[in-house]
């Protein structure tokens, strides 16, 4: 167990933005919520997975909806508390800790804000090791943990409890409800025992996010190339460097969908990269080659600072370096690829690991 304070939050926010692969909600919003909660209530206890008991009730907390809506409709701490209190009544059990549902954006930091405000510890784990756009795209689901009962809470004080037959139905119904409730909600979801968390989660994701943020900060202080240092830390690949020349983005069905066109610079001059996303970056390709595909991580970083761009923050003229990072091994299983691989999102491609794609491209 260790304490998470303001300095740790600053680093976690940077790492969350990077692992969020463009999505997961604006990390700045989550950072401000977490900093305010810690200012008011003190540091948060961060528990290693080994420190929770097998029969403890652990419930992830998250924001659901289009990231573009979240920027305009910032959630309050009351929403998260409302969702948790409602779920405790449904479960008739005391929730012992919360945790992120994904390693990305606001959803890495929201549980820290909630935990500070109601005095819960946070488990150093998550259900993705990155961010994905749909509720069933978690390693809990791969291990047959039930998505429901879950609670959705909006800023007006409404909350609803869902019990569904599976995670895909939970996604479909909750997504529709989210649109009616204003485009974004806070949810309490995937109630699990400590034993289930140990069996199905991705360990120490918050610690990794903190390390990513610290690596970028220290690289700048030591006049090192922060992107090179991040690639060393994560075993990643530099895919493409260029300037954004066009971006198409629309909010559709509770998601932000679109594509950025990046004109190559340096060794990539004369080429174009197309970055396709649905909340998160899903496919990076040139006219001739696929560079990286879901479930591997595709991250757009500022070429100078290595700070990550979200899909709603990427703008015309931005100088960006696209990197690819191998996904956790849980996503590289047959079921993981079925749930979050390229064919699920409508691409006519079989999954090929990023390291193999880059070996073929000679990078």
């Amino acid at each position: 167990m260790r304490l998470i304070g303001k300095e740790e939050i600053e680093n976690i926010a940077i790492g969350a933005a990077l692992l969020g692969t463009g999505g997961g909600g604006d990390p700045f919003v989550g950072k401000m919520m977490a900093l305010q909660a810690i200012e008011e209530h003190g540091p948060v206890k961060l528990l290693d997975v080994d420190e929770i008991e097998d029969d403890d009730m652990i419930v992830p907390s998250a924001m659901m909806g289009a990231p573009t809506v979240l920027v305009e409709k910032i959630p309050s701490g009351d929403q998260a508390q409302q969702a948790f209190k409602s779920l405790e009544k449904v479960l008739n059990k005391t929730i012992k800790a919360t945790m992120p549902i994904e390693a990305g954006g606001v959803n890495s930091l929201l549980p820290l804000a909630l935990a500070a405000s109601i005095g819960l510890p946070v488990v150093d784990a998550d259900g993705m090791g990155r961010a994905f756009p749909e509720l069933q795209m978690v390693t809990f689901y791969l291990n047959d943990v039930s998505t429901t009962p879950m609670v959705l809470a909006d800023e007006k004080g409404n909350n609803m409890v869902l019990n569904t037959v599976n995670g895909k139905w939970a996604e479909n119904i909750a997504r529709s409800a989210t649109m009616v409730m204003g485009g974004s909600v806070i949810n309490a979801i995937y109630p699990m025992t400590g034993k289930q968390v140990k069996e199905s989660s991705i360990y120490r994701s918050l610690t990794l996010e903190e390390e990513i943020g610290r690596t970028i900060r220290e690289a700048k202080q030591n006049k090192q190339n922060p992107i090179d240092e991040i690639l060393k830390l994560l075993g990643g690949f530099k895919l493409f460097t260029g300037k954004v020349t066009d971006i198409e983005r629309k909010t559709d069905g509770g998601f932000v969908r679109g594509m950025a066109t990046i004109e190559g610079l340096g060794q990539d001059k004369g080429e174009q990269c197309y970055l396709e996303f649905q909340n998160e970056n899903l496919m990076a390709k040139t006219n001739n080659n696929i560079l990286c595909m879901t479930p591997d991580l595709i991250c757009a970083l500022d070429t100078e600072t290595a700070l990550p761009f979200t899909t709603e923050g990427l703008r015309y003229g931005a100088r960006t370096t696209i990197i690819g990072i191998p996904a956790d091994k849980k996503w590289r299983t047959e079921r993981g690829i079925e749930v979050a691989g390229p064919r699920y999102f409508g691409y006519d491609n079989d999954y090929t690991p990023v390291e193999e794609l880059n070996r073929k491209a000679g990078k």
Side-chain angles (χ1 to χ4, degrees):
M1 189 275 290
R2 63 190 178 95
L3 296 177
I4 298 296
K6 292 182 178 180
E7 182 179 344
E8 290 82 3
I9 292 295
E10 293 286 351
N11 287 329
I12 288 170
I14 295 171
L18 190 147
L19 294 183
T21 62
D26 189 337
F28 179 77
V29 173
K31 181 178 79 169
M32 290 298 101
M33 292 176 65
L35 289 174
Q36 181 178 355
I38 286 173
E39 178 73 30
E40 292 178 5
H41 304 285
V44 174
K45 291 181 181 178
L46 184 68
L47 301 179
D48 191 80
V49 174
D50 295 337
E51 295 179 286
I52 59 176
E53 301 295 331
D54 284 353
D55 58 355
D56 284 348
M57 177 56 59
I58 313 294
V59 178
S61 50
M63 184 280 296
M64 181 178 185
T68 47
V69 175
L70 178 68
V71 174
E72 300 294 331
K73 193 172 74 122
I74 295 173
S76 69
D78 291 343
Q79 278 178 256
Q81 291 185 44
Q82 180 185 356
F84 257 54
K85 289 175 182 176
S86 296
L87 187 57
E88 276 194 324
K89 288 180 182 177
V90 171
L91 297 171
N92 195 28
K93 293 181 180 179
T94 300
I95 298 171
K96 293 295 182 69
T98 187
M99 62 185 286
I101 194 171
E102 62 186 355
V106 69
N107 279 337
S108 282
L109 294 148
L110 178 68
L112 294 166
L114 170 66
S117 62
I118 62 178
L120 283 179
V122 174
V123 181
D124 191 5
D126 83 291
M128 299 185 200
R130 51 160 297 158
F132 274 125
E134 298 185 10
L135 294 180
Q136 80 281 6
M137 293 177 178
V138 290
T139 52
F140 318 136
Y141 180 77
L142 301 184
N143 272 32
D144 297 318
V145 176
S146 178
T147 315
T148 60
M150 66 178 287
V151 174
L152 283 69
D154 68 14
E155 78 287 355
K156 294 176 283 290
N158 299 310
N159 71 78
M160 64 180 296
V161 179
L162 290 183
N163 282 287
T164 62
V165 295
N166 59 39
K168 183 57 180 170
W169 273 107
E171 162 64 28
N172 293 342
I173 295 171
R175 188 72 53 180
S176 297
T178 297
M179 296 305 295
V180 174
M181 296 167 85
S184 70
V185 296
I186 299 296
N187 56 34
I189 185 171
Y190 283 102
M192 286 176 282
T193 64
K195 185 173 186 292
Q196 288 174 311
V197 171
K198 293 172 185 178
E199 292 171 344
S200 63
S201 65
I202 295 175
Y203 288 15
R204 301 177 184 92
S205 49
L206 285 164
T207 293
L208 177 59
E209 289 169 346
E210 184 184 353
E211 190 172 358
I212 290 168
R214 187 169 58 248
T215 296
I216 291 174
R217 289 173 181 271
E218 290 179 355
K220 293 174 189 174
Q221 292 169 2
N222 298 330
K223 302 191 184 307
Q224 297 171 307
N225 185 313
I227 293 179
D228 289 344
E229 297 305 306
I230 285 298
L231 294 177
K232 290 177 193 175
L233 174 66
L234 300 175
F237 299 85
K238 187 181 291 186
L239 305 177
F240 198 88
T241 298
K243 180 177 73 171
V244 177
T245 56
D246 188 35
I247 188 157
E248 301 171 13
R249 187 190 295 114
K250 64 179 179 179
T251 301
D252 175 27
F255 300 106
V256 177
R257 304 176 193 265
M259 182 178 76
T261 302
I262 302 161
E263 191 74 34
L265 296 172
Q267 67 179 19
D268 294 312
K269 190 170 184 178
E271 292 247 34
Q272 284 187 320
C273 176
Y274 305 96
L275 187 62
E276 301 178 9
F277 53 85
Q278 178 185 321
N279 283 14
E280 287 76 36
N281 299 318
L282 300 176
M283 180 76 72
K285 60 186 179 181
T286 64
N287 291 320
N288 301 313
N289 297 300
I290 295 175
L291 304 177
C292 191
M293 63 177 72
T294 180
D296 288 335
L297 288 70
I298 306 168
C299 311
L301 308 182
D302 185 292
T303 298
E304 293 298 318
T305 67
L307 294 177
F309 289 110
T310 59
T311 51
E312 71 269 19
L314 200 58
R315 294 287 185 267
Y316 174 84
R319 304 293 178 104
T320 184
T321 295
I322 310 301
I323 67 170
I325 303 165
D328 186 89
K329 62 184 179 182
K330 290 183 173 68
W331 290 116
R332 293 182 164 196
T333 61
E334 184 176 345
R335 189 169 189 204
I337 293 167
E338 178 186 349
V339 169
R343 291 195 179 275
Y344 179 86
F345 290 101
Y347 294 105
D348 189 21
N349 302 100
D350 291 326
Y351 168 69
T352 304
V354 62
E355 55 267 36
E356 186 175 331
L357 289 171
N358 277 261
R359 189 163 54 246
K360 289 178 180 177
K363 292 193 175 184

